Amino acid sequence: MTSASPLELAGWRHVYSGKVRDLYVPADTADDATPAHLLVVASDRVSAFDQVLSPGIPDKGVLLTTLSLWWFDQLSGADGGRSVPNHLAADHALQGDEAKPLIPDAVQGRAMLVRSLDMQPIECVVRGYLTGSGWAEYRAEGTVCGIPLPEGLHDGDRLPEPLYTPAWKAPMGEHDENITFERSVEIVGADTAAALRDLSLEIYRRAAATAEARGLILADTKFEFGYDAEGVLTLADEVLTSDSSRYWDAEAWRTGSTPAERMASFDKQIVRNWLSENWDKQGDPPALPAEIVERTRDRYATLLGLLTAS
């Protein structure tokens, strides 16, 4: 397991590390105060099956941050849709006639300066295609997260309509739990639960159309949201990256004769597949081979190029 200590950043205090990201607040923030801004640093750590793996993926933090920033821009209206509020804050400040960067040099390119939000404890998952844990449940029960689906579907098939399948964000050290929409209403209230569902489906449909125009399929993804100081539901965290989403090659999906051929992926599925074949999920996972690390980095970089090419 990768366990490198977070960086010491002048002017910032480290307050939390997740599996793949580190969180900082301004150094002068009182312990009981809500900071106006946070620094979210994407590491090169990679996780799968709730485990942080070793070694990391070189340049992963930069690649995923760049892609997140591109998607935030698209969803702010560059794709022709309405602007979706996001948590980004200005990362430069005027000092005389010069723009002074607010993100430390040591993490430039893999960090985002963001506004503090009242984060909602719901992970908003949208599935447009049948795969992964959804496929396993469908084979056993004919459902995905308890939602009945038509008979006769296969691994990798497009669903009749995108499914919103929320999950409860468990406390650190515990596993997230798939929940029904009705359970999400109990947790966050009817209005918020409906708003999370509707906005998640809207973003997914817009992003899927953008990906399709670039020869890609957005099979599924997950979003996180919070309320800002004015009570506006706001898109947060990373968005539509190779870590939070499954992307497939559209031509391979149309012409492939097996699930593996159809789901030629641009995400960390390479890591998941290798672990499934080489680890029984008991004890610590094995170190990733250099070939798997290199192929994963190449997939992340290729996806970024395909999506952002003008």
Side-chain angles (χ1 to χ4, degrees):
M1 175 174 172
T2 301
S3 57
S5 300
L7 294 172
E8 294 288 334
L9 301 176
W12 295 91
R13 184 173 80 247
H14 174 258
V15 293
Y16 174 78
S17 286
K19 288 192 284 289
V20 297
R21 282 181 294 279
D22 302 312
L23 189 65
Y24 297 77
V25 298
D28 58 0
T29 303
D31 289 341
D32 58 350
T34 299
H37 297 99
L38 304 162
L39 188 68
V40 180
V41 178
S43 74
D44 290 344
R45 300 189 296 270
V46 63
S47 70
F49 304 121
D50 289 321
Q51 297 286 328
V52 179
L53 309 174
S54 180
I57 308 299
D59 305 319
K60 173 177 174 282
V62 171
L63 292 167
L64 267 59
T65 298
T66 303
L67 186 53
S68 274
L69 292 173
W70 184 83
W71 274 117
F72 280 128
D73 183 58
Q74 297 300 300
L75 296 169
S76 292
D79 66 347
R82 72 181 180 98
S83 179
V84 176
N86 65 61
H87 68 342
L88 293 178
D91 57 11
H92 285 72
L94 280 178
Q95 193 172 66
D97 293 331
E98 295 186 5
K100 176 185 177 183
L102 299 177
I103 294 177
D105 289 344
V107 293
Q108 277 287 344
R110 60 187 182 96
M112 295 184 292
L113 190 64
V114 304
R115 297 178 289 137
S116 290
L117 301 175
D118 177 16
M119 295 300 295
Q120 299 302 292
I122 302 295
E123 189 172 77
C124 300
V125 180
V126 181
R127 305 168 189 261
Y129 291 74
L130 184 61
T131 192
S133 62
W135 167 240
E137 180 184 330
Y138 176 79
R139 283 187 298 170
E141 307 290 341
T143 61
V144 171
C145 294
I147 301 171
L149 291 177
E151 296 181 0
L153 297 178
H154 301 91
D155 193 7
D157 279 359
R158 185 172 184 169
L159 297 171
E161 293 290 337
L163 295 182
Y164 174 70
T165 58
W168 175 66
K169 292 170 59 178
M172 187 176 179
E174 299 182 24
H175 297 298
D176 292 346
E177 174 189 349
N178 290 334
I179 59 175
T180 63
F181 176 75
E182 290 72 22
R183 176 60 181 144
S184 74
V185 170
E186 295 175 359
I187 295 172
V188 298
D191 289 346
T192 293
L196 291 171
R197 177 196 61 201
D198 295 349
L199 189 50
S200 295
L201 287 168
E202 175 191 340
I203 295 172
Y204 172 80
R205 289 189 173 101
R206 287 169 61 177
T210 297
E212 185 176 356
R214 291 158 171 80
L216 296 163
I217 285 173
L218 177 60
D220 56 40
T221 192
K222 58 186 177 182
F223 305 111
E224 296 192 29
F225 297 91
Y227 283 104
D228 69 8
E230 283 71 48
V232 176
L233 191 61
T234 301
L235 183 61
D237 201 62
E238 65 175 339
V239 61
L240 295 160
T241 71
S242 314
D243 264 19
S244 64
S245 316
R246 283 186 174 93
Y247 287 94
W248 300 336
D249 180 275
E251 181 61 23
W253 183 84
R254 284 191 292 268
T255 60
S257 58
T258 68
E261 290 173 350
R262 296 179 71 197
M263 294 177 283
S265 65
F266 295 92
D267 47 54
K268 63 179 179 181
Q269 193 61 42
I270 297 169
V271 172
R272 296 190 192 100
N273 291 346
W274 186 86
L275 273 183
S276 296
E277 295 168 0
N278 294 276
W279 182 48
D280 61 3
K281 298 185 181 179
Q282 302 298 314
D284 292 334
L288 297 175
E291 179 203 4
I292 297 299
V293 171
E294 182 178 348
R295 288 173 59 198
T296 303
R297 186 204 176 280
D298 179 67
R299 295 281 83 188
Y300 285 7
T302 298
L303 176 66
L304 179 62
L306 289 171
L307 282 171
T308 62
S310 55

